[in-house]
Amino acid sequence: MTTHREGHLHLNAFLMSTGHHEASWRLPESDPSFVSTNIAYLQRLAQTAERGKLDSIFFADGPALHRDIGRRPSGTLEPTVVLAAIAAVTQRIGLIATASTTYNDPYNLARRFASVDHVSNGRAGWNIVTTAFVEAARNFGLDEQPAHADRYARAAEFIEVALKLWDSWEDDAEVGDKAAGLWGDSSRVHPIGHVGEHFRVAGALTTPRSPQAHPLLVQAGSSEDGKDLAARFAEAVFTAQQTLEDAQAFYADLKRRAVEWGRDPATVLVLPGIVPVIGATEAEAREKEDELDRLINPEYARVQLAAQLRVDPEELPLDRELPDHLPSEDEIEGAKSRYTLIVNLGRRERLTVRQLIGRLGGGRGHRTFSGTAEQVADAIQDWYDQGAADGFNIMPAVLPSGLEEFVDQVVPILVDRGIFRSEYTGTTLRDHYGLARPANPHTVARLATAEVTR
Amino acid sequence: MTTHREGHLHLNAFLMSTGHHEASWRLPESDPSFVSTNIAYLQRLAQTAERGKLDSIFFADGPALHRDIGRRPSGTLEPTVVLAAIAAVTQRIGLIATASTTYNDPYNLARRFASVDHVSNGRAGWNIVTTAFVEAARNFGLDEQPAHADRYARAAEFIEVALKLWDSWEDDAEVGDKAAGLWGDSSRVHPIGHVGEHFRVAGALTTPRSPQAHPLLVQAGSSEDGKDLAARFAEAVFTAQQTLEDAQAFYADLKRRAVEWGRDPATVLVLPGIVPVIGATEAEAREKEDELDRLINPEYARVQLAAQLRVDPEELPLDRELPDHLPSEDEIEGAKSRYTLIVNLGRRERLTVRQLIGRLGGGRGHRTFSGTAEQVADAIQDWYDQGAADGFNIMPAVLPSGLEEFVDQVVPILVDRGIFRSEYTGTTLRDHYGLARPANPHTVARLATAEVTR
């Protein structure tokens, strides 16, 4: 099933320090000095993405420092703050950040995304996550993270509350009648009075309805709960898929679930991740990727893989395949689908632990692809044409060079082929993704009543 | 007691929609169209303050829409998002925002202010409030707000946690050894392991230590609990004082309390609010103020005053003095000192409710002052010279014009008199306020140990 024939594909640039390859910081070109906290660097990346007319940029996030900082650049800023600083130096590019429904209050988070939407004139997107690591729980007074199902139940109610808050002001609440001394019409502002299982939120938002009304809702969970949450609420879905067949199956499944939730499947855009490594020739691209893989510190990476697989590092000799006995997905609390993806990748291709580490080093489970710009464009078009993607989450192995190469070399090919924009045609992130600004339910109900009583 | 003789005075611009006078939006010059959500407008205000070499700008905040939106421009953005967008278009001006210790988690809030400090290259300040209105509580699952003393106990622990988090990375945690593949030194990152009455926070911050290490800590509570919290932690204190004598008493009291907490009183700067109304002549300034007061809608204002005084609006006839029987400060939960200030102002000057509304309409309890630029400069210097202030919280009655007049007319006089800077001499907010960057306790302890064992 393809639902995107009317438009063109969508491209998001997933930005992360010196790039998605974990050894990217060790290249001569990289300056690993706190790149994730250097706002001038992040602003330049965003401007590069905007030069390529990409739909959006994206920063992942989690409220805990859960990794050994030896292995790769660590340390991040709170991403809505970063996006606001980027909004001020860009005009069109969409601005997406992860925020957790488990470790935030909906009132605060709804305000923050509405505020980013205001300061960017309608370019905010929220990647909804439930946060799957115990280190986060322990920064918020808990000993263990809430169970997977509980986190997703809370997430669904959290989103409901946020939607109510974003609609709590009607668009015409402002009156501005200086002569009468009446600034606003309080009858057009609606305290939400939400009483639910996880939240009680009485009031209206502090913030007038924003340019997009709702930030673009993004989701990336691929577990059963995650896919259902995405099908119910998400407008763009980031996903890690290694093969065309898996990606087609995921795509079809998500669109089907969206229909089950009563939604038009064309309003749920699926964007698999791709880690492009671009060279002037295929051989040059391969050599770039090999150079990166050689720079991976296998001991660090093995510890990381062991943690993902919930086994002891000693059980993963570098030059053997994965052990036969690994936990089942049911036993994994959080990052379930990523767990299965890693195990399947290792088993399907009979990779040694060392080889698996190389494959994961590029994109942590996302598909890596080395080749010429033409070949990268082919890889993108292939999945797009074959019902595996509405667009892609571009995860450059090395930044800033990988993004510059993508924008300068791959994007023009996609434009020439008529499957990507040459100019922005709208101003908001929703415009870029071809999604309508949501109507305000209070306004709709009021006008319907007026119609009936006329 | 004056402690500021070495330096000069400090000026903060408190920015709020069309200005602090509640009728400012009704003037012909004002464009009340969602000014508080118009980032270009807010950025221009910040640039004006920076042109005047002011120390900082400030946005107040509360996580609830608790007012009738008829009376004056309502609707605000989350201010750390606003400050980040302002940081991107300014270079030196300090950036202060209110955030609540009652309705935030310390891990999230510490990240957000550290992030603003990073994106502004060291210009962040946090005005610590406990939030004193029930509408906020009801947006966070509570029926009533926590008791005053409980809010302040939580606030103190909240600040302690935030300070630990801001110090959790030593400044030299980054190693960046590409050859060895070692990015950071994990032994220089310290999980805080905080276990307290209100919070348990295990980990280190996600965010490397910021340019200022700690954002400037600002406080504005004037109750006993508020003053003690300020004396213990605050580096700048905003306060509403109507008379020189009251301001001197507050100033001396706060400096004394700071000494009791073992602090150098020169590191706690007291900034009373002043609402200047500037005219070419004194008569013109008076007429400006009168025009504003005439534009107040007395019925709206009476409802607001009644809420502040915890009485029924019917008990406040416009042309009578305040009723004899009003609650005592002890009975007031939140905004205690503001309550007492309003009652004292009405009683001391035997104002009718209508007159009191006029006085409060300018600055909600802050001192209003109408006069020529020279007279405003005199009023500022007078309090500064007489031990009532280390600087001022400038609250223009009308924006943007009142800020432009202050910067263009009053600041040059203060510079000529040698009591205000003509250029910034540092780059961070702490530099502007003459405050040192805090040492990292882990680094200090490590170096002390190294010293002993050498």
Side-chain angles (χ1 to χ4, degrees):
Chain A
M1 166 169 33
T2 58
T3 57
H4 52 64
R5 295 302 80 195
E6 303 302 318
H8 52 71
L9 62 79
H10 300 282
L11 296 173
N12 172 76
F14 181 176
L15 304 179
M16 196 171 73
S17 70
T18 53
H20 285 270
H21 196 289
E22 70 162 83
S24 55
W25 70 277
R26 298 182 68 186
L27 293 176
E29 75 173 78
S30 294
D31 176 2
S33 309
F34 285 148
V35 279
S36 297
T37 60
N38 182 336
I39 192 65
Y41 169 76
L42 300 174
Q43 287 169 329
R44 281 195 300 273
L45 290 178
Q47 288 167 333
T48 300
E50 186 167 74
R51 179 157 60 77
K53 320 298 178 196
L54 269 54
D55 294 69
S56 48
I57 59 169
F58 164 58
F59 292 99
D61 191 50
L65 186 74
H66 59 295
R67 240 176 292 181
D68 181 341
I69 71 162
R71 184 183 183 195
R72 60 167 298 162
S74 302
T76 56
L77 305 181
E78 195 287 312
T80 60
V81 167
V82 172
L83 292 185
I86 289 175
V89 300
T90 54
Q91 284 72 49
R92 297 294 186 91
I93 188 90
L95 306 167
I96 304 173
T98 291
S100 172
T101 54
T102 304
Y103 303 113
N104 277 291
D105 284 298
Y107 197 87
N108 287 339
L109 200 70
R111 288 184 78 200
R112 215 150 80 231
F113 277 95
S115 298
V116 175
D117 206 46
H118 276 287
V119 305
S120 65
N121 295 312
R123 297 186 281 141
W126 171 28
N127 179 40
I128 303 157
V129 303
T130 67
T131 308
F133 39 94
V134 67
E135 293 86 347
R138 293 179 183 156
N139 289 336
F140 293 85
L142 303 176
D143 292 318
E144 297 300 332
Q145 56 177 327
H148 192 268
D150 293 344
R151 292 204 314 276
Y152 274 90
R154 177 181 161 111
E157 189 182 332
F158 192 115
I159 299 166
E160 285 175 22
V161 173
L163 292 168
K164 289 181 189 176
L165 288 168
W166 290 321
D167 288 334
S168 61
W169 288 59
E170 295 187 55
D171 289 315
D172 59 358
E174 185 206 341
V175 176
D177 186 339
K178 291 183 183 183
L182 187 75
W183 182 80
D185 178 350
S186 291
S187 76
R188 303 272 159 101
V189 175
H190 305 271
I192 70 168
H194 176 89
V195 178
E197 187 81 15
H198 298 84
F199 304 108
R200 287 190 302 143
V201 180
L205 205 60
T206 59
T207 308
R209 207 156 185 257
S210 74
Q212 292 190 114
H214 308 166
L216 185 81
L217 298 183
V218 181
Q219 226 273 329
S222 294
S223 67
E224 288 302 302
D225 288 334
K227 282 188 285 195
D228 256 345
L229 193 74
R232 184 171 170 197
F233 294 111
E235 298 166 302
V237 177
F238 296 152
T239 180
Q241 302 293 337
Q242 287 282 340
T243 67
L244 175 65
E245 296 67 32
D246 285 354
Q248 286 170 321
F250 178 86
Y251 185 98
D253 182 42
L254 200 73
K255 300 277 178 173
R256 180 185 56 73
R257 288 175 195 247
V259 171
E260 281 174 10
W261 280 105
R263 297 178 65 197
D264 174 356
T267 63
V268 187
L269 303 172
V270 177
L271 287 80
I274 182 168
V275 182
V277 181
I278 302 166
T281 63
E282 186 175 337
E284 186 186 301
R286 285 270 157 79
E287 172 47 31
K288 263 190 181 177
E289 188 179 358
D290 288 347
E291 185 194 357
L292 282 164
D293 287 349
R294 281 193 301 271
L295 289 170
I296 294 175
N297 180 328
E299 280 311 318
Y300 274 126
R302 188 169 70 145
V303 169
Q304 168 82 1
L305 179 64
Q308 287 176 310
L309 299 181
R310 274 66 167 181
V311 298
D312 192 280
E314 300 300 310
E315 295 181 54
L316 299 177
L318 282 169
D319 295 307
R320 296 226 196 121
E321 293 181 30
L322 290 178
D324 290 337
H325 296 291
L326 287 171
S328 72
E329 183 175 307
D330 288 348
E331 296 170 66
I332 303 296
E333 270 299 332
K336 281 173 179 290
S337 58
R338 189 60 52 88
Y339 170 81
T340 300
L341 182 148
I342 292 170
V343 174
N344 287 351
L345 175 62
R347 296 247 155 91
R348 186 175 59 238
E349 306 193 19
R350 306 205 58 179
L351 302 174
T352 64
V353 167
R354 191 186 298 276
Q355 289 169 324
L356 183 59
I357 283 170
R359 294 286 285 275
L360 296 174
R364 304 179 311 288
H366 285 271
R367 173 192 183 203
T368 58
F369 186 91
S370 306
T372 64
E374 198 78 26
Q375 288 172 319
V376 172
D378 289 345
I380 285 174
Q381 183 162 11
D382 186 38
W383 282 31
Y384 178 65
D385 283 345
Q386 298 198 54
D390 297 307
F392 289 85
N393 189 18
I394 307 298
M395 303 168 58
V398 183
L399 287 170
S401 65
L403 182 63
E404 289 163 358
E405 289 158 3
F406 187 86
V407 160
D408 293 331
Q409 298 172 35
V410 180
V411 166
I413 297 170
L414 300 173
V415 172
D416 280 349
R417 295 182 187 178
I419 56 172
F420 194 63
R421 70 174 70 81
S422 58
E423 288 298 336
Y424 291 109
T425 53
T427 61
T428 71
L429 177 53
R430 291 186 169 277
D431 289 340
H432 304 339
Y433 279 98
L435 298 164
R437 184 176 191 264
N440 186 302
H442 301 290
T443 310
V444 169
R446 184 160 49 76
L447 296 179
T449 308
E451 186 67 28
V452 166
T453 57
R454 194 186 296 163
Chain B
M1 169 167 37
T2 59
T3 56
H4 52 61
R5 294 303 81 197
E6 302 304 316
H8 52 71
L9 62 80
H10 300 281
L11 296 173
N12 172 76
F14 181 175
L15 304 179
M16 196 172 74
S17 69
T18 54
H20 285 271
H21 195 289
E22 70 161 85
S24 55
W25 70 276
R26 299 182 67 186
L27 293 176
E29 74 174 79
S30 294
D31 177 1
S33 308
F34 285 147
V35 279
S36 297
T37 60
N38 182 336
I39 192 65
Y41 170 75
L42 300 174
Q43 287 169 329
R44 280 195 301 273
L45 291 177
Q47 288 166 333
T48 301
E50 188 167 71
R51 178 158 60 78
K53 320 297 178 195
L54 269 52
D55 293 71
S56 49
I57 59 168
F58 164 59
F59 292 99
D61 191 50
L65 186 75
H66 59 294
R67 240 175 289 180
D68 181 340
I69 72 162
R71 185 183 183 195
R72 60 168 298 163
S74 302
T76 55
L77 305 181
E78 194 288 310
T80 60
V81 166
V82 172
L83 292 185
I86 288 174
V89 300
T90 53
Q91 283 72 49
R92 297 294 187 91
I93 189 91
L95 306 167
I96 304 173
T98 291
S100 172
T101 54
T102 304
Y103 304 113
N104 277 291
D105 285 297
Y107 197 87
N108 287 338
L109 200 71
R111 288 184 79 201
R112 214 150 80 233
F113 277 95
S115 299
V116 175
D117 205 46
H118 276 287
V119 306
S120 65
N121 295 312
R123 297 187 281 141
W126 171 28
N127 179 40
I128 303 157
V129 303
T130 67
T131 308
F133 39 92
V134 67
E135 292 87 346
R138 292 179 183 155
N139 290 336
F140 293 85
L142 304 176
D143 292 319
E144 297 300 332
Q145 56 178 327
H148 193 268
D150 293 344
R151 293 204 313 277
Y152 275 90
R154 178 181 160 110
E157 189 182 332
F158 193 113
I159 299 166
E160 284 174 21
V161 173
L163 292 169
K164 289 180 188 178
L165 289 168
W166 290 322
D167 288 334
S168 61
W169 288 58
E170 295 187 55
D171 289 315
D172 58 357
E174 184 204 342
V175 175
D177 186 340
K178 291 183 183 182
L182 187 74
W183 182 81
D185 178 351
S186 291
S187 77
R188 302 273 159 100
V189 176
H190 305 271
I192 69 168
H194 176 89
V195 178
E197 186 81 15
H198 298 84
F199 304 108
R200 286 190 301 142
V201 180
L205 205 60
T206 60
T207 308
R209 206 153 185 260
S210 74
Q212 292 189 114
H214 308 167
L216 185 80
L217 298 184
V218 182
Q219 226 272 330
S222 294
S223 67
E224 289 301 303
D225 288 334
K227 281 188 285 195
D228 257 344
L229 193 74
R232 184 170 170 197
F233 293 111
E235 298 166 301
V237 177
F238 296 151
T239 180
Q241 302 293 337
Q242 286 282 338
T243 68
L244 175 65
E245 295 67 33
D246 285 353
Q248 287 170 322
F250 179 87
Y251 185 97
D253 182 43
L254 199 73
K255 300 279 179 171
R256 181 186 57 71
R257 288 174 195 247
V259 171
E260 281 174 10
W261 280 105
R263 298 179 63 197
D264 174 356
T267 63
V268 187
L269 304 172
V270 177
L271 286 80
I274 183 168
V275 182
V277 181
I278 301 166
T281 63
E282 185 176 336
E284 186 186 300
R286 285 270 158 78
E287 174 46 30
K288 263 190 180 176
E289 187 178 358
D290 287 347
E291 185 192 356
L292 282 164
D293 287 350
R294 280 193 301 270
L295 289 170
I296 294 175
N297 180 328
E299 279 312 316
Y300 274 126
R302 188 170 69 146
V303 169
Q304 168 83 358
L305 180 63
Q308 288 175 309
L309 299 181
R310 274 66 165 181
V311 297
D312 192 280
E314 299 301 309
E315 295 181 55
L316 299 176
L318 282 169
D319 295 306
R320 294 226 197 124
E321 293 181 31
L322 290 178
D324 291 337
H325 296 290
L326 286 172
S328 72
E329 183 175 307
D330 289 348
E331 296 170 66
I332 302 296
E333 272 298 333
K336 282 173 179 287
S337 58
R338 188 60 52 87
Y339 170 82
T340 299
L341 181 148
I342 292 170
V343 174
N344 287 352
L345 175 63
R347 296 247 155 93
R348 185 175 58 237
E349 306 193 19
R350 306 205 58 176
L351 302 173
T352 65
V353 167
R354 191 186 299 275
Q355 289 168 324
L356 182 59
I357 283 170
R359 293 287 283 277
L360 296 175
R364 303 179 312 288
H366 286 271
R367 174 192 183 204
T368 58
F369 186 92
S370 307
T372 63
E374 197 78 27
Q375 288 172 319
V376 172
D378 290 343
I380 284 174
Q381 182 161 12
D382 185 40
W383 283 32
Y384 178 65
D385 284 345
Q386 298 199 54
D390 297 307
F392 288 85
N393 190 17
I394 307 299
M395 303 168 58
V398 183
L399 287 169
S401 65
L403 181 63
E404 289 163 359
E405 289 158 2
F406 187 85
V407 160
D408 293 332
Q409 298 172 35
V410 180
V411 166
I413 298 171
L414 299 173
V415 172
D416 279 348
R417 293 182 187 179
I419 57 172
F420 194 63
R421 69 173 71 81
S422 57
E423 288 298 335
Y424 291 109
T425 53
T427 61
T428 71
L429 178 52
R430 290 185 171 277
D431 290 340
H432 304 339
Y433 278 98
L435 298 164
R437 184 175 191 263
N440 186 302
H442 301 289
T443 310
V444 169
R446 182 160 51 75
L447 296 178
T449 307
E451 185 68 27
V452 166
T453 56
R454 194 186 296 164

